[in-house]
Amino acid sequence: MRSLKLAVLFAAAMFIWVNDVEAKEKGDWIVRAGATYIDPKSNNGSIVVPELGLDSTIRVDSATMLTFDGTYMITNNFGVELLAALPFKHDISVDGLGKVGSTKHLPPTLSAVYHFNTSGQFQPYVGAGVNWTIFFDEKESGVLDTLDADLKLDDSWGLATVVGIDIMLTDSMFLNGNIRYMDIDSDVKITVPGDDGDLVVRTTAKIDPWVYAINIGWVF
């Protein structure tokens, strides 16, 4: 009986805590910062170079970095979110050749988000928008370095979606976890210099990652 009473008291305390959170409202700013892990799909495209007898698979590795996002609440439930980050770095490899290069990228993403239960302790949300992935600082290694080749990746535009939850610690501070999917396809150009002219190889890297984040956030 004592255990039952304690359980009831604990449940009552949780109910009071959950319902004693100031609601997010129109005009509020929501700011989050934390660590994000980008996990590209396993097969990121193919590269075919008949002149070199090459027909293989491209692979882009995962990366972790600090990210930041800010949301402005247009209504009590709808907001506009902008995701930003410090540069991510990815190694690029080709089956049979090993690592052939690396690149850095920035993933600014603008989304419309809908927040559920904005007055409770647990506040889930969903959203969709547009991702712009900016590739830069490409570096050649392995066989591309040996061939004195030049590696370039074009920027990518694509759909992005997000599902997340804010767990309120106080009226203005919370923990956050979210999962995103980003449609990222980059046109890749490899230029290999030669005595009879340059050999230009073009392909598309289909990165299409799942993105996992853990953040701490504040409501202003």
Side-chain angles (χ1 to χ4, degrees), residues 45-104:
S46 61
I47 181 168
V48 179
V49 188
E51 294 87 347
L52 301 178
L54 180 64
D55 184 351
S56 195
T57 300
I58 301 170
R59 302 193 186 277
V60 180
D61 78 343
S62 58
T64 302
M65 186 46 67
L66 296 176
T67 55
F68 319 89
D69 68 70
T71 301
Y72 178 73
M73 297 300 290
I74 297 174
T75 72
N76 290 346
N77 295 96
F78 278 101
V80 176
E81 177 196 80
L82 178 63
L83 171 69
L86 296 180
F88 288 86
K89 181 180 178 181
H90 299 271
D91 288 338
I92 303 169
S93 62
V94 173
D95 288 357
L97 298 179
K99 180 181 174 182
V100 297
S102 65
T103 186
K104 294 181 180 179

Coordinates of all heavy atoms in Angstrom, one line a residue, residues 45-104:
G45 N 26.6 6.2 -55.2 CA 26.7 6.4 -56.6 C 27.8 5.5 -57.2 O 28.5 4.8 -56.5
S46 N 28.0 5.7 -58.5 CA 29.0 4.9 -59.2 C 29.9 5.8 -60.0 O 29.5 6.9 -60.3 CB 28.3 3.8 -60.1 OG 27.6 4.5 -61.1
I47 N 31.1 5.3 -60.2 CA 32.0 6.0 -61.1 C 32.6 5.1 -62.1 O 33.0 4.0 -61.8 CB 33.2 6.6 -60.2 CG1 34.1 7.4 -61.1 CG2 33.9 5.6 -59.4 CD1 35.1 8.3 -60.3
V48 N 32.5 5.5 -63.4 CA 32.9 4.7 -64.5 C 33.9 5.4 -65.3 O 33.6 6.5 -65.8 CB 31.7 4.2 -65.4 CG1 32.1 3.4 -66.6 CG2 30.6 3.5 -64.6
V49 N 35.1 4.9 -65.5 CA 36.1 5.5 -66.3 C 36.7 4.4 -67.2 O 37.7 3.7 -66.8 CB 37.2 6.1 -65.4 CG1 38.2 7.0 -66.3 CG2 36.6 7.0 -64.3
P50 N 36.2 4.2 -68.4 CA 36.7 3.2 -69.3 C 38.2 3.3 -69.6 O 38.9 2.3 -69.7 CB 35.9 3.4 -70.6 CG 34.6 4.1 -70.1 CD 35.1 5.0 -69.0
E51 N 38.6 4.6 -69.7 CA 40.1 4.8 -70.0 C 41.0 4.2 -69.0 O 42.1 3.8 -69.2 CB 40.4 6.3 -70.1 CG 39.7 7.0 -71.3 CD 38.3 7.4 -71.0 OE1 37.7 7.0 -69.9 OE2 37.7 8.2 -71.7
L52 N 40.5 4.1 -67.7 CA 41.3 3.6 -66.6 C 40.8 2.2 -66.2 O 41.3 1.6 -65.2 CB 41.3 4.5 -65.4 CG 41.8 6.0 -65.7 CD1 41.6 6.8 -64.4 CD2 43.2 5.9 -66.1
G53 N 39.8 1.6 -66.9 CA 39.3 0.3 -66.5 C 38.6 0.4 -65.2 O 38.6 -0.6 -64.5
L54 N 37.9 1.5 -64.9 CA 37.3 1.6 -63.6 C 35.8 1.6 -63.7 O 35.2 2.4 -64.5 CB 37.8 3.0 -62.9 CG 37.2 3.3 -61.5 CD1 37.6 2.2 -60.5 CD2 37.6 4.7 -61.1
D55 N 35.1 0.8 -62.9 CA 33.7 0.8 -62.8 C 33.4 0.4 -61.3 O 33.3 -0.8 -61.0 CB 33.1 -0.2 -63.8 CG 31.5 -0.2 -63.7 OD1 31.0 0.5 -62.8 OD2 30.9 -0.9 -64.6
S56 N 33.2 1.4 -60.5 CA 33.1 1.1 -59.0 C 32.1 1.9 -58.3 O 31.4 2.8 -58.9 CB 34.5 1.2 -58.4 OG 34.5 0.6 -57.2
T57 N 32.0 1.8 -57.0 CA 31.0 2.5 -56.2 C 31.7 3.6 -55.3 O 32.8 3.4 -54.8 CB 30.3 1.5 -55.2 OG1 29.7 0.5 -56.0 CG2 29.3 2.2 -54.3
I58 N 31.0 4.7 -55.2 CA 31.5 5.8 -54.4 C 30.9 5.7 -53.0 O 29.7 5.3 -52.9 CB 31.1 7.2 -55.0 CG1 31.6 7.3 -56.4 CG2 31.5 8.3 -54.1 CD1 31.0 8.5 -57.2
R59 N 31.7 6.0 -52.0 CA 31.2 6.0 -50.6 C 31.6 7.3 -49.9 O 32.8 7.6 -50.0 CB 31.6 4.8 -49.9 CG 31.2 3.5 -50.6 CD 31.4 2.2 -49.7 NE 31.1 1.0 -50.5 CZ 29.9 0.5 -50.7 NH1 28.9 1.1 -50.2 NH2 29.8 -0.6 -51.4
V60 N 30.6 7.9 -49.3 CA 30.9 9.1 -48.5 C 30.7 8.8 -47.0 O 29.6 8.2 -46.6 CB 29.9 10.3 -48.9 CG1 30.2 11.5 -48.0 CG2 30.1 10.6 -50.4
D61 N 31.7 9.1 -46.2 CA 31.6 8.6 -44.8 C 30.7 9.6 -43.9 O 30.4 10.6 -44.3 CB 33.0 8.4 -44.2 CG 33.7 9.6 -43.8 OD1 33.3 10.7 -44.2 OD2 34.6 9.5 -43.0
S62 N 30.5 9.1 -42.7 CA 29.7 9.9 -41.8 C 30.5 11.0 -41.1 O 31.7 11.0 -41.3 CB 29.1 9.0 -40.7 OG 30.1 8.4 -40.0
A63 N 29.8 12.0 -40.4 CA 30.5 13.1 -39.8 C 29.7 13.6 -38.7 O 28.5 13.5 -38.7 CB 30.9 14.2 -40.8
T64 N 30.4 14.2 -37.6 CA 29.7 14.8 -36.5 C 30.2 16.2 -36.3 O 31.4 16.5 -36.4 CB 29.9 14.0 -35.2 OG1 29.5 12.6 -35.4 CG2 29.2 14.6 -34.0
M65 N 29.3 17.1 -36.0 CA 29.7 18.5 -35.8 C 28.7 19.3 -35.0 O 27.6 18.8 -34.8 CB 29.9 19.2 -37.1 CG 30.5 20.6 -37.1 SD 31.9 20.8 -36.0 CE 33.2 19.8 -36.8
L66 N 29.0 20.5 -34.5 CA 28.1 21.3 -33.8 C 27.1 22.0 -34.7 O 27.5 22.5 -35.8 CB 28.9 22.4 -33.0 CG 29.8 21.9 -31.9 CD1 30.6 23.1 -31.3 CD2 29.0 21.2 -30.8
T67 N 25.9 22.0 -34.4 CA 24.8 22.7 -35.2 C 24.0 23.6 -34.3 O 24.0 23.5 -33.1 CB 23.9 21.6 -35.8 OG1 23.3 20.8 -34.8 CG2 24.7 20.8 -36.8
F68 N 23.3 24.5 -35.0 CA 22.5 25.5 -34.3 C 21.2 25.6 -35.1 O 21.3 25.6 -36.4 CB 23.2 26.8 -34.2 CG 24.7 26.7 -33.9 CD1 25.6 26.6 -34.9 CD2 25.1 26.7 -32.6 CE1 27.0 26.5 -34.6 CE2 26.4 26.6 -32.3 CZ 27.4 26.5 -33.3
D69 N 20.1 25.9 -34.5 CA 18.9 26.2 -35.2 C 18.1 27.2 -34.4 O 18.1 27.2 -33.2 CB 18.1 25.0 -35.6 CG 17.4 24.3 -34.4 OD1 16.5 24.8 -33.8 OD2 17.9 23.1 -34.1
G70 N 17.3 28.0 -35.1 CA 16.5 29.0 -34.5 C 15.1 29.0 -35.2 O 15.0 28.9 -36.4
T71 N 14.1 29.1 -34.4 CA 12.7 29.1 -34.9 C 12.0 30.3 -34.4 O 12.0 30.7 -33.3 CB 11.9 27.9 -34.4 OG1 12.6 26.7 -34.8 CG2 10.5 27.8 -34.9
Y72 N 11.2 31.0 -35.4 CA 10.4 32.1 -35.0 C 8.9 31.6 -35.1 O 8.5 31.1 -36.2 CB 10.6 33.3 -35.9 CG 9.6 34.4 -35.6 CD1 9.8 35.2 -34.4 CD2 8.5 34.7 -36.4 CE1 9.0 36.2 -34.1 CE2 7.7 35.7 -36.1 CZ 7.9 36.5 -34.9 OH 7.0 37.5 -34.6
M73 N 8.2 31.7 -34.0 CA 6.8 31.2 -34.0 C 5.8 32.3 -34.6 O 5.6 33.4 -34.1 CB 6.4 30.9 -32.6 CG 7.2 29.8 -31.9 SD 7.1 28.2 -32.7 CE 5.4 27.8 -32.4
I74 N 5.3 31.9 -35.8 CA 4.4 32.8 -36.5 C 3.0 32.8 -35.9 O 2.3 33.8 -35.8 CB 4.3 32.4 -38.0 CG1 5.7 32.5 -38.6 CG2 3.3 33.2 -38.8 CD1 5.8 32.0 -40.1
T75 N 2.6 31.6 -35.4 CA 1.4 31.4 -34.6 C 1.7 30.7 -33.4 O 2.9 30.4 -33.1 CB 0.3 30.7 -35.4 OG1 0.7 29.3 -35.5 CG2 0.1 31.2 -36.8
N76 N 0.8 30.3 -32.6 CA 1.0 29.5 -31.4 C 1.6 28.1 -31.7 O 2.2 27.5 -30.8 CB -0.2 29.4 -30.5 CG -0.6 30.7 -29.9 OD1 0.2 31.7 -29.9 ND2 -1.8 30.8 -29.3
N77 N 1.4 27.6 -32.9 CA 1.8 26.3 -33.3 C 2.8 26.2 -34.5 O 3.6 25.4 -34.5 CB 0.6 25.4 -33.6 CG -0.2 25.1 -32.4 OD1 -1.3 25.8 -32.2 ND2 0.1 24.2 -31.5
F78 N 2.6 27.2 -35.4 CA 3.5 27.2 -36.6 C 4.7 28.1 -36.4 O 4.5 29.2 -35.9 CB 2.7 27.6 -37.8 CG 1.8 26.5 -38.4 CD1 0.5 26.4 -38.2 CD2 2.4 25.5 -39.2 CE1 -0.3 25.4 -38.7 CE2 1.6 24.5 -39.8 CZ 0.3 24.4 -39.5
G79 N 5.8 27.6 -36.9 CA 7.0 28.4 -36.9 C 7.9 28.2 -38.1 O 7.6 27.3 -38.9
V80 N 8.9 29.1 -38.3 CA 9.8 29.0 -39.4 C 11.2 28.7 -38.8 O 11.7 29.5 -37.9 CB 9.9 30.2 -40.3 CG1 11.0 30.1 -41.3 CG2 8.5 30.4 -40.9
E81 N 11.9 27.6 -39.2 CA 13.1 27.2 -38.6 C 14.3 27.3 -39.6 O 14.1 26.9 -40.7 CB 13.0 25.8 -38.1 CG 14.3 25.2 -37.5 CD 14.3 23.7 -37.4 OE1 14.5 23.0 -38.4 OE2 14.0 23.2 -36.3
L82 N 15.4 27.8 -39.1 CA 16.6 27.9 -39.9 C 17.7 27.1 -39.2 O 18.0 27.4 -38.0 CB 17.1 29.3 -40.1 CG 18.4 29.5 -40.9 CD1 18.3 28.9 -42.3 CD2 18.9 30.9 -40.9
L83 N 18.3 26.1 -39.9 CA 19.4 25.2 -39.3 C 20.7 25.7 -39.9 O 20.8 26.0 -41.1 CB 19.1 23.8 -39.7 CG 20.3 22.8 -39.4 CD1 20.4 22.6 -38.0 CD2 20.0 21.5 -40.2
A84 N 21.7 25.9 -39.0 CA 23.0 26.2 -39.5 C 24.0 25.3 -38.7 O 23.7 24.6 -37.8 CB 23.3 27.7 -39.2
A85 N 25.3 25.4 -39.1 CA 26.3 24.5 -38.5 C 27.7 25.0 -38.7 O 28.0 25.8 -39.6 CB 26.2 23.1 -39.0
L86 N 28.6 24.4 -37.9 CA 30.0 24.5 -38.3 C 30.3 23.5 -39.4 O 29.5 22.6 -39.6 CB 30.9 24.2 -37.1 CG 30.8 25.2 -35.9 CD1 31.7 24.7 -34.7 CD2 31.1 26.6 -36.3
P87 N 31.4 23.7 -40.2 CA 31.6 22.8 -41.3 C 31.8 21.4 -41.0 O 32.5 21.0 -40.0 CB 32.9 23.4 -42.0 CG 32.9 24.8 -41.5 CD 32.4 24.8 -40.1
F88 N 31.0 20.5 -41.6 CA 31.2 19.1 -41.6 C 32.3 18.7 -42.5 O 32.4 19.2 -43.6 CB 29.9 18.3 -41.9 CG 28.8 18.4 -40.9 CD1 28.0 19.5 -40.9 CD2 28.7 17.4 -40.0 CE1 26.9 19.6 -40.0 CE2 27.6 17.5 -39.1 CZ 26.8 18.6 -39.1
K89 N 33.1 17.6 -42.2 CA 34.1 17.1 -43.1 C 33.8 15.6 -43.4 O 33.6 14.8 -42.4 CB 35.5 17.2 -42.5 CG 36.6 16.7 -43.5 CD 38.0 16.9 -42.9 CE 39.1 16.3 -43.8 NZ 40.4 16.5 -43.2
H90 N 33.8 15.2 -44.7 CA 33.5 13.9 -45.1 C 34.7 13.3 -45.9 O 35.1 14.0 -46.9 CB 32.3 13.8 -45.9 CG 31.0 14.2 -45.2 ND1 30.3 13.4 -44.4 CD2 30.5 15.4 -45.1 CE1 29.2 14.0 -43.9 NE2 29.3 15.3 -44.3
D91 N 35.2 12.1 -45.6 CA 36.1 11.4 -46.5 C 35.3 10.7 -47.6 O 34.2 10.3 -47.4 CB 36.9 10.4 -45.7 CG 37.9 11.0 -44.8 OD1 38.3 12.1 -45.0 OD2 38.3 10.3 -43.8
I92 N 35.9 10.7 -48.8 CA 35.3 10.1 -50.0 C 36.2 8.9 -50.4 O 37.4 9.1 -50.6 CB 35.1 11.1 -51.1 CG1 34.3 12.3 -50.6 CG2 34.5 10.4 -52.3 CD1 34.3 13.5 -51.6
S93 N 35.6 7.8 -50.6 CA 36.3 6.6 -51.1 C 35.7 6.0 -52.3 O 34.5 6.2 -52.5 CB 36.5 5.6 -49.9 OG 35.3 5.1 -49.5
V94 N 36.4 5.1 -53.0 CA 35.9 4.4 -54.1 C 36.3 2.9 -53.9 O 37.5 2.6 -53.5 CB 36.5 4.9 -55.4 CG1 36.1 4.0 -56.6 CG2 36.1 6.3 -55.7
D95 N 35.3 2.0 -54.0 CA 35.6 0.6 -53.8 C 36.8 0.2 -54.7 O 36.8 0.4 -55.9 CB 34.4 -0.2 -54.1 CG 33.3 -0.1 -53.0 OD1 33.6 0.6 -52.0 OD2 32.2 -0.7 -53.2
G96 N 37.8 -0.5 -54.1 CA 38.9 -1.0 -54.8 C 40.1 0.0 -54.9 O 41.2 -0.4 -55.2
L97 N 39.8 1.3 -54.6 CA 40.8 2.3 -54.6 C 41.1 2.9 -53.3 O 42.1 3.6 -53.1 CB 40.5 3.4 -55.6 CG 40.3 3.1 -57.1 CD1 39.9 4.3 -57.9 CD2 41.6 2.4 -57.6
G98 N 40.2 2.7 -52.3 CA 40.3 3.3 -51.0 C 40.0 4.8 -51.0 O 39.2 5.3 -51.9
K99 N 40.5 5.5 -50.0 CA 40.2 6.9 -49.9 C 40.8 7.7 -51.1 O 42.0 7.6 -51.4 CB 40.7 7.5 -48.6 CG 40.4 9.0 -48.4 CD 41.0 9.5 -47.1 CE 40.9 11.0 -47.0 NZ 41.5 11.5 -45.7
V100 N 39.9 8.5 -51.8 CA 40.4 9.3 -52.9 C 40.3 10.8 -52.7 O 40.8 11.6 -53.5 CB 39.6 9.0 -54.2 CG1 39.9 7.5 -54.6 CG2 38.1 9.3 -54.1
G101 N 39.7 11.2 -51.6 CA 39.6 12.7 -51.3 C 38.7 12.9 -50.1 O 38.2 12.0 -49.4
S102 N 38.5 14.2 -49.9 CA 37.6 14.7 -48.8 C 37.0 16.0 -49.2 O 37.4 16.7 -50.1 CB 38.4 14.8 -47.5 OG 39.3 15.8 -47.6
T103 N 35.9 16.3 -48.5 CA 35.2 17.6 -48.7 C 34.6 18.1 -47.4 O 34.4 17.3 -46.5 CB 34.1 17.5 -49.8 OG1 33.6 18.8 -50.1 CG2 33.0 16.6 -49.3
K104 N 34.4 19.4 -47.3 CA 33.7 20.0 -46.2 C 32.4 20.5 -46.8 O 32.2 20.8 -48.0 CB 34.5 21.1 -45.6 CG 35.7 20.7 -44.9 CD 36.5 21.8 -44.3 CE 37.8 21.4 -43.6 NZ 38.5 22.5 -43.0

